[in-house]
């Protein structure tokens, strides 16, 4: 990779095996800084496994990768300072209030205590949770909890935000405002790496990688991918491409 | 290592612990119920032994023997029967704990200067109690003999005889409560620290919250400290409360230094928290952790000398008890409570507990870190 200096994420021949099962089969791709990047694929394609390797939750079997300029094998700790992560399952403390959750993660990320007050207000405003700051999180609707999770992932102002199926189980209206927010973040220079299987979300990404059964099936901007797969069908959209590519392997 | 992270972890742990209403009975009621149960119910003292008697002699001597038994506070004659068969029956039905048969020729033999047999039947199905009751009965009979001999030969006969002047130190009334209650403090600390630490980590695994922690720069050692410090604070607080309660309520003597107990508890906690961490690495759910915890607690409890004396265990088991941290902690806590001894006597126990604790804790931490990476 000759322009790796401007890449937020870069992987080469990244592989993950669970016993004899190959979850991710030697994939290579790069994500530019400030880009909204989508990793698409059906359930079980290896999306979550990839994102979890990049965030240092699980160790890759082989290959090479850099996140925020740090090696994923040798410098996982440096990576953790630079990234924010939100999983598809709500994984903050449901028995604590939004305020307590935010405060806890401010401490865990070692945000200077002078900045706490300002950050807490910023997150509560951003996630529109000011009115429920002292309510138990369990009692909040899923969409609200998701906003809190996103807020906590941004507390330490990460360079790269990893979102693993961020809008599963969220209504379309919340989903749209969620994407508006993602775009504002990208405009501020945050790299957003998102996995999804919703095509309307994929259209929001500047660049996509489609994977199926652990292998890359297509790569490029949404329009590039459509043009490549269906050169003679200008009316085709991303869903057609997705179904075409994913079905081909299943045969 | 960041103290800010550890502080916030500890804070979070306390918020969660006290917010969950299910934890309150575990933390507040359970210790006192255990203390009261063990303090009042569990007792190996020989008291109020019910005696059944067949007196076929019906003479002054046989009555004197019965008076001697009755005069002793340990015994209470509850059944008089005329037929030896009836006596066997009441013993079988557990109406009496001990049966005494005085034969028809009892006083005749005494007057002639022969030895007079008296049959004593004890319920041996409770072997330990039976041997204690027999021993007490022998004492009474010994006194009776002495009296008969003095009556017959009206002069002193104790020339050159050993006169045993027995005094029991540290627990003069041989009150088993004084033996058990300090032990309960140790048991409580063990159960609570084991259970709470493993649960605290498993809860995060079950809820998936551990994943969010792994993507943060939080280090395993900070997580471990954040998960153990709250339970050190809680168990030490409970220990202080329970000891105070034991002193006030059961008028238990605390002869030694209280702070020595705190220090010993800290060393003991090294082992139990280490095992708690270990359990959290081998269990996936809270149920599993609970079962595994009891799998550990039971042998610790049985082979510690809390109830069953180590000296009466088979030799191999006796060696194994050296690996049991509770064994040492019990010696310390009883020594400090009842004998008032300090470091000058208890240092071997302190060292053993420290070495054991460090080995267990460090290997648990290593395993825990490997699992987390």
């Amino acid at each position: 990779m000759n322009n790796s200096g401007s890449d937020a994420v870069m992987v080469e021949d990244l592989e993950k095996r669970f016993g004899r099962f190959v979850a991710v089969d030697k994939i290579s791709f790069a994500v530019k800084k400030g880009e909204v990047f989508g990793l698409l694929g059906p359930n079980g394609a290896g999306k979550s496994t990839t994102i979890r390797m990049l965030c240092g939750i699980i160790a890759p079997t082989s290959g090479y990768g850099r996140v925020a300029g740090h090696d994923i094998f040798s410098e996982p700790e440096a990576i953790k300072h630079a990234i924010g992560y939100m999983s598809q399952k709500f994984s903050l403390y449901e028995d604590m209030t939004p305020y307590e959750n935010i405060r806890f993660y401010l401490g865990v990320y070692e945000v200077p205590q002078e900045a706490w007050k300002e950050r807490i207000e910023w997150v509560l405003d951003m996630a529109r949770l000011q009115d429920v700051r002292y309510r138990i999180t369990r009692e909040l609707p899923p969409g609200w909890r998701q906003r809190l999770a996103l807020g906590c992932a941004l507390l330490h102002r990460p360079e790269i935000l990893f979102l693993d199926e961020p809008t599963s189980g969220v209504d379309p209206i919340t989903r749209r405002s969620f994407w508006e927010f993602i775009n504002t973040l990208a405009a501020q220079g945050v790299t957003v790496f998102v996995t999804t299987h919703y095509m309307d979300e994929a259209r929001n990404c500047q660049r996509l990688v489609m994977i199926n059964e652990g292998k890359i099936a297509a790569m490029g901007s949404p329009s590039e991918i459509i043009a490549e797969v269906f050169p003679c069908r200008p009316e085709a959209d991303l869903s057609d491409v997705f179904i075409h590519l994913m079905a081909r392997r299943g045969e | 290592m960041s103290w800010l992270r550890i502080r916030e972890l500890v804070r979070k742990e306390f918020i969660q612990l006290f917010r969950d209403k299910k934890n309150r009975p575990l933390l507040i009621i359970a210790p006192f119920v255990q203390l009261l149960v063990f303090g009042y119910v569990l007792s190996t003292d020989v008291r109020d032994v019910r005696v059944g008697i067949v007196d076929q002699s019906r003479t002054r001597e046989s009555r004197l023997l019965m008076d001697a038994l009755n005069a002793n506070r340990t015994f209470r004659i509850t059944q008089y029967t005329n037929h030896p068969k009836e006596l066997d029956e009441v013993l079988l039905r557990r109406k009496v704990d001990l049966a005494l048969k005085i034969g028809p020729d009892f006083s005749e033999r005494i007057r002639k200067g022969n030895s007079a047999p008296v049959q004593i039947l004890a319920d041996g199905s409770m072997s330990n109690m039976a041997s204690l009751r027999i021993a007490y009965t022998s004492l009474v009979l010994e006194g009776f003999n002495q009296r008969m001999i003095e009556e017959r030969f009206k002069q002193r006969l104790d020339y050159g005889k050993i006169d045993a002047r027995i005094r029991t130190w540290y627990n003069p009334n041989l009150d088993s409560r004084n033996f058990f209650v300090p032990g309960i403090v140790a048991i409580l600390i063990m159960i609570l620290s084991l259970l709470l630490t493993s649960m605290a980590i498993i809860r995060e695994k079950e809820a998936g919250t551990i994943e969010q922690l792994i993507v943060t720069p939080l280090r395993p050692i900070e997580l471990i400290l954040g998960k153990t410090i709250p339970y050190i604070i809680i168990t030490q607080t409970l220990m202080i409360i329970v000891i105070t309660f034991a002193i006030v309520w059961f008028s238990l003597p605390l002869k030694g230094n209280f702070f020595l107990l705190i220090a010993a508890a800290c060393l003991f906690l090294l082992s139990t928290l280490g095992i708690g961490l270990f359990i959290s690495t081998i269990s996936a759910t809270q149920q599993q952790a609970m079962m595994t915890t009891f799998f550990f607690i039971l042998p610790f409890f049985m082979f510690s000398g809390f109830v069953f004396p180590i000296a009466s265990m088979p030799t191999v088991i006796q060696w194994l008890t050296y690996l049991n941290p509770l064994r040492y902690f019990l010696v310390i806590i009883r020594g400090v409570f009842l004998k008032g001894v300090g470091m000058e006597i208890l240092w071997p126990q302190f060292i053993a507990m420290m070495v054991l604790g460090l080995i267990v804790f460090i290997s648990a931490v290593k395993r825990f870190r490997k699992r987390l990476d």
Side-chain angles (χ1 to χ4, degrees), chain A residues 50-218:
Chain A
T50 306
I51 207 169
R52 285 155 70 92
M53 281 193 283
L54 295 176
C55 295
I57 300 170
I58 53 175
T61 310
S62 70
Y64 176 77
R66 292 180 88 80
V67 172
H70 303 286
D71 189 293
I72 57 171
F73 284 92
S74 57
E75 303 168 290
E77 294 308 309
I79 292 174
K80 286 171 179 181
H81 279 281
I83 62 164
Y85 167 78
M86 189 179 106
S87 78
Q88 56 193 86
K89 185 177 170 287
F90 180 73
S91 47
L92 298 181
Y93 300 99
E94 294 195 349
D95 49 354
M96 303 207 302
T97 65
Y99 172 81
E100 286 163 344
N101 270 300
I102 294 168
R103 198 199 137 120
F104 173 67
Y105 276 99
L106 283 170
V108 167
Y109 278 111
E110 285 189 289
V111 174
Q113 273 170 280
E114 311 85 71
W116 283 22
K117 206 164 179 276
E118 171 256 322
R119 292 283 169 96
I120 290 171
E121 298 307 316
W122 174 72
V123 168
L124 289 173
D125 284 334
M126 185 274 285
R128 283 171 284 133
L129 295 169
Q130 281 290 8
D131 298 339
V132 294
R133 61 194 288 168
Y134 300 124
R135 284 265 298 275
I136 300 293
T137 309
R138 193 186 293 115
E139 299 165 358
L140 303 179
W144 298 35
R145 279 186 277 182
Q146 205 70 338
R147 295 203 303 259
L148 174 64
L150 183 63
C152 284
L154 290 168
L155 277 174
H156 56 297
R157 307 260 158 97
E159 300 167 37
I160 312 170
L161 183 61
F162 286 93
L163 304 167
D164 190 8
E165 296 186 17
T167 57
S168 55
V170 171
D171 65 79
I173 299 164
T174 315
R175 228 157 81 192
R176 200 169 74 189
S177 60
F178 179 83
W179 273 96
E180 278 165 13
F181 181 69
I182 295 297
N183 290 328
T184 24
L185 279 179
Q188 290 164 20
V190 178
T191 310
V192 182
F193 185 115
V194 59
T195 71
T196 183
H197 49 220
Y198 294 120
M199 289 310 124
D200 56 333
E201 291 193 353
R203 268 179 225 109
N204 282 299
C205 300
Q206 286 151 21
R207 251 158 35 85
L208 298 170
V209 162
M210 287 196 181
I211 60 168
N212 191 21
E213 291 173 0
K215 290 194 173 72
I216 293 184

Side-chain angles (χ1 to χ4, degrees), chain B residues 170-287:
Chain B
Y170 318 128
N171 187 4
N173 300 324
L174 287 176
D175 198 339
S176 67
R177 185 182 289 162
N178 288 358
F179 174 76
F180 281 121
V181 171
I184 299 159
V185 179
I187 300 281
L188 274 175
I189 290 176
M190 179 179 77
I191 295 178
L192 279 174
S193 57
L194 258 175
L195 211 55
L196 291 174
T197 339
S198 58
M199 288 302 198
I201 296 164
I202 297 291
R203 201 172 51 218
E204 302 241 8
K205 271 198 201 172
E206 259 186 342
T209 51
I210 194 114
E211 197 173 293
Q212 195 69 47
L213 288 180
I214 292 172
V215 298
T216 69
L218 187 71
R219 292 200 185 90
I221 188 67
E222 292 163 344
L223 181 59
I224 288 167
L225 287 175
K227 286 283 176 189
T228 47
I229 291 172
Y231 304 108
I232 295 174
I233 297 173
I234 286 174
T235 44
Q236 294 283 22
T237 314
L238 269 174
M239 184 169 102
I240 295 171
I241 296 172
V242 165
I243 287 179
T244 315
F245 183 78
I247 293 169
V248 174
W249 190 266
F250 290 120
S251 20
L252 205 71
L254 175 61
K255 295 198 177 126
N257 187 341
F258 184 74
F259 295 100
L260 203 62
L261 285 183
I262 302 274
C266 285
L267 290 181
F268 180 62
L269 282 174
L270 266 181
S271 303
T272 56
L273 294 174
I275 295 164
L277 279 181
F278 174 76
I279 291 173
S280 76
T281 62
I282 59 170
S283 324
T285 63
Q286 297 198 44
Q287 275 105 323

